[in-house]
Amino acid sequence: VTTNDDDESNEMSFMGSRIIDSALEDLISRHSLDRASLVVLVGQSAGGIGLMLNADRIKQKLEQTASRAELKCIIDSAWILD
């Protein structure tokens, strides 16, 4: 939560991890991701940053539900600010 000079709060919410969790749940329950032997995720630019930030969580989720699946990530042109 941030506050401006007028003492009004501006709430910011980042739901990317929840979206990833929901997408994985959908892929497992409706599309048999739990039987996959290979999962490939691709992220470009800001999506590459999101993939880098969430790859470990995704790997843990796959280990719990699709233990045979090997995870490969392709990160293309991810930007990083110093």
Side-chain angles (χ1 to χ4, degrees), residues 10-53:
N10 300 311
E11 291 188 30
M12 297 182 351
S13 180
F14 301 97
M15 302 302 239
S17 62
R18 289 186 181 176
I19 293 169
I20 290 169
D21 290 342
S22 292
L24 286 172
E25 289 297 327
D26 182 64
L27 290 168
I28 291 165
S29 66
R30 297 178 58 198
H31 302 285
S32 303
L33 181 66
D34 55 329
R35 296 191 324 221
S37 58
L38 177 64
V39 175
V40 179
L41 300 175
V42 179
Q44 179 183 19
S45 190
I49 298 294
L51 182 53
M52 282 193 286
L53 294 174

Side-chain angles (χ1 to χ4, degrees), residues 30-75:
R30 297 178 58 198
H31 302 285
S32 303
L33 181 66
D34 55 329
R35 296 191 324 221
S37 58
L38 177 64
V39 175
V40 179
L41 300 175
V42 179
Q44 179 183 19
S45 190
I49 298 294
L51 182 53
M52 282 193 286
L53 294 174
N54 288 285
D56 289 335
R57 284 176 39 347
I58 295 167
K59 178 67 174 168
Q60 289 175 347
K61 182 75 168 179
L62 288 174
E63 287 173 349
Q64 295 170 0
T65 58
S67 58
R68 297 183 335 206
E70 180 180 5
L71 176 63
K72 298 288 184 177
C73 297
I74 300 171
I75 298 167

